[in-house]
Amino acid sequence: MSALTLPSGEEIAELARREIDRAIKRNIKGLEFLAAGTQPVGAMAKDVVYRKGTAVLYRYRPVLDEIYRTPLLLVSPPSNRGYIFDLAKGQSFVEFMAERGFDVFNLDWNPPRRDEAELGLGDYVDGFIPESISRIRELTGETQVTLAGYCMGGTLAVIHAALYGTASARNLVAFATPVDFHHMTLFQKWADRRHFDLEHLVEELDVIPPDIMLGAFDLARPANRTAGKMHLWSNMWNDDFVRSYRMFDRWAAETLPVPGTYFRQLIKDLLWDNALSEGRLDIGGRIADMSNISMPVLNITAVHDHVVKKESTMPLMENTSSRDTHDLVSKGGHVSLVAGPAAVKRLWPHIDSWLARRSV
């Protein structure tokens, strides 16, 4: 047996000095954190090229002289700000793709006014998205785009592609996109129709406040906020960690309200009836049939995603008519796919490689 080697007095002293230094920095940084204003977000210059109702379409200014022919349209979830795609320099999916020659657009959302409470799924997938693509055609001369969406933005992109096929989308990229809502088990429990009075909620509020949406996420991870703050305190001396935390915290705090009609259809048609996955989703008298999706499909999921399970995304692999489908599984969680610092090295290069061959 080898003898146990005890640390020397100098090593113990050095360890103590290091911990004291971190404790001092942690407390000083904690005071700075409490006194700090809103964390700036956004790395890339952009221009508004289309605006209608709650929708606003941004075009990011290209950074290269040579760009791919097929524009990239990112669709944000209606309940969240689109700057999640462009948090900060070095942590921006938009920046990453623009530096590799993509012409990037983002369909983002503003809070709906009370007179916009009647906006429903049809307004998004049969109005805002096709009108944005038409505007992109005017600007670029290209008839098709790569249609990409995150979370419910991805669901809207899938529904649009199921209605229009390749008429507007050359490629379909889905980040953590729910399609089979029977596998959204925690959300099923949150909105259990036996006690969730959907009609009363919509009739009373018209526009659904963000606290309602955040309640579902808190149910999925009830201790998440407390654990996050404890993790922040443990890393308060780390400037990069604190900066990243503040950006994500701002994004979560700026969750948007959604129109009542949209919310009703999300719960009733998608979550309860699973109409999209089962080929029964009616949009303005047309069925959103996923067999119409014949373009290349890239389905991206995260190993530790507690919001959208991989099983919920699988109809994109099973129910489309595409012969070019790729399932990409990444480390991390629900948000890190589109904004995590590790995604720059792990995930985004794979997306660039897959998309580059299909964008010329």
Side-chain angles (χ1 to χ4, degrees):
M1 289 179 64
S2 60
L4 179 64
T5 304
L6 297 174
S8 67
E10 283 133 4
E11 289 171 330
I12 292 173
E14 176 58 29
L15 180 61
R17 277 194 296 271
R18 194 180 310 148
E19 288 305 313
I20 290 170
D21 183 55
R22 282 193 179 184
I24 292 170
K25 286 182 179 178
R26 186 182 293 126
N27 280 272
I28 292 172
K29 293 292 184 182
L31 293 174
E32 291 176 357
F33 179 86
L34 293 173
T38 303
Q39 177 69 35
V41 292
M44 304 295 291
K46 60 187 179 183
D47 302 293
V48 175
V49 295
Y50 161 84
R51 189 191 299 273
K52 182 178 180 181
T54 65
V56 54
L57 178 67
Y58 295 104
R59 185 184 194 179
Y60 292 89
R61 296 175 190 171
V63 297
L64 300 179
D65 293 331
E66 296 290 330
I67 59 175
Y68 286 106
R69 195 180 78 184
T70 305
L72 172 60
L73 173 58
L74 304 171
V75 181
S76 306
S79 61
N80 295 102
R81 296 284 188 182
Y83 64 72
I84 192 65
F85 292 111
D86 182 39
L87 275 183
K89 189 169 180 59
Q91 197 174 339
S92 165
F93 180 68
V94 171
E95 177 189 42
F96 183 91
M97 298 302 283
E99 288 180 347
R100 281 147 187 82
F102 290 91
D103 191 1
V104 185
F105 295 78
N106 175 216
L107 180 55
D108 200 3
W109 314 103
N110 289 318
R113 301 186 308 268
R114 201 169 188 84
D115 62 352
E116 293 173 321
E118 295 299 321
L119 291 174
L121 281 174
D123 295 286
Y124 289 88
V125 303
D126 208 13
F128 298 137
I129 292 179
E131 288 172 17
S132 295
I133 294 173
S134 294
R135 180 61 178 143
I136 294 171
R137 284 173 180 159
E138 293 174 5
L139 293 168
T140 66
E142 298 298 328
T143 58
Q144 293 176 303
V145 304
T146 289
L147 187 58
Y150 167 54
C151 194
M152 279 304 300
T155 305
L156 297 180
V158 169
I159 296 172
H160 173 83
L163 291 171
Y164 286 83
T166 57
S168 56
R170 182 176 180 182
N171 308 295
L172 179 63
V173 180
F175 293 89
T177 293
V179 177
D180 184 345
F181 284 79
H182 279 170
H183 289 286
M184 302 285 283
T185 50
L186 285 171
F187 290 85
Q188 290 281 356
K189 292 178 182 178
W190 171 73
D192 189 322
R193 70 178 79 200
R194 292 173 298 179
H195 58 72
F196 193 85
D197 196 339
L198 175 62
E199 293 303 326
H200 178 70
L201 180 67
V202 173
E203 288 172 10
E204 288 295 317
L205 297 178
D206 287 335
V207 172
I208 307 302
D211 287 351
I212 298 292
M213 303 297 292
L214 288 170
F217 289 95
D218 286 344
L219 176 66
R221 284 280 180 94
N224 203 43
R225 292 191 193 186
T226 302
K229 284 181 168 49
M230 292 175 65
H231 198 37
L232 169 66
W233 178 248
S234 299
N235 290 276
M236 190 63 75
W237 55 273
N238 185 331
D239 288 342
D240 289 338
F241 182 92
V242 172
R243 182 179 70 102
S244 184
Y245 178 93
R246 288 182 63 206
M247 288 188 294
F248 285 120
D249 191 54
R250 173 180 172 178
W251 181 71
E254 293 180 351
T255 298
L256 299 172
V258 295
T261 297
Y262 164 83
F263 183 78
R264 178 192 286 116
Q265 291 177 301
L266 189 159
I267 300 297
K268 186 176 180 180
D269 296 344
L270 298 182
L271 194 62
W272 288 351
D273 294 346
N274 205 26
L276 174 60
S277 179
E278 297 179 9
R280 295 182 284 101
L281 182 63
D282 188 306
I283 302 293
R286 290 183 294 160
I287 297 298
D289 185 352
M290 282 192 291
S291 68
N292 290 330
I293 300 176
S294 60
M295 70 287 289
V297 175
L298 178 60
N299 183 45
I300 306 167
T301 56
V303 174
H304 303 295
D305 191 340
H306 67 284
V307 178
V308 179
K309 295 181 179 180
K310 181 178 176 60
E311 292 83 357
S312 180
T313 74
M314 289 314 293
L316 283 177
M317 299 290 98
E318 302 164 350
N319 296 351
T320 71
S321 60
S322 174
R323 297 184 178 181
D324 182 2
T325 59
H326 187 66
D327 194 27
L328 186 56
V329 181
S330 175
K331 293 182 179 179
H334 185 68
V335 182
S336 63
L337 293 174
V338 293
V344 179
K345 296 179 180 178
R346 290 180 186 165
L347 174 63
W348 298 349
H350 292 291
I351 298 173
D352 168 38
S353 177
W354 186 89
L355 202 52
R357 299 192 300 271
R358 297 163 176 85
S359 298
V360 294

